[in-house]
Amino acid sequence: MKDCRIVIEAGDLRPESPLRKACEEAKTAVAIGCYPDGERDLAKLMDDELRAAKFADRGRCARRVDDAARGDRQASRNELKKLALFAMARAR
């Protein structure tokens, strides 16, 4: 099966982890590190998404998104979109 792809999702693997080592050493596998967003990354994402939605009250959004997403980029983006939709019906 040459067209088969297997994706393994794991937590924070140390460099000496057997799974990580196996993937890094294999010719037909790859290990890709995915890291949570930091404060600066989340602030930029928030500014970009809220500016596109023409939403002004970023301070309250920051607290709400941070509480809901906990560094997960897709969760952050989803929370921002929910807030923008909610705000469309209001003046602020």
Side-chain angles (χ1 to χ4, degrees):
M1 286 185 125
K2 291 182 179 183
D3 294 336
C4 181
R5 307 267 189 293
I6 297 173
V7 176
I8 301 170
E9 184 177 337
D12 189 15
L13 297 177
R14 296 180 178 273
E16 64 274 4
S17 160
L19 176 60
R20 181 172 166 181
K21 283 176 80 171
C23 289
E24 289 175 343
E25 293 170 1
K27 291 181 181 178
T28 58
V30 64
I32 301 171
C34 300
Y35 306 98
D37 287 329
E39 285 183 42
R40 194 176 289 171
D41 301 317
L42 184 57
K44 181 177 179 348
L45 174 68
M46 202 172 322
D47 280 343
D48 292 347
E49 291 287 330
L50 296 176
R51 188 175 300 113
K54 297 180 174 80
F55 192 72
D57 196 357
R58 293 187 181 125
R60 286 175 48 195
C61 284
R63 289 188 299 276
R64 165 98 174 142
V65 170
D66 189 43
D67 288 344
R70 297 286 177 216
D72 180 314
R73 180 168 287 265
Q74 189 60 46
S76 298
R77 197 167 263 146
N78 290 340
E79 285 300 309
L80 288 165
K81 288 181 181 183
K82 281 193 272 185
L83 285 168
L85 285 171
F86 179 72
M88 290 171 107
R90 300 171 179 264
R92 276 184 73 114

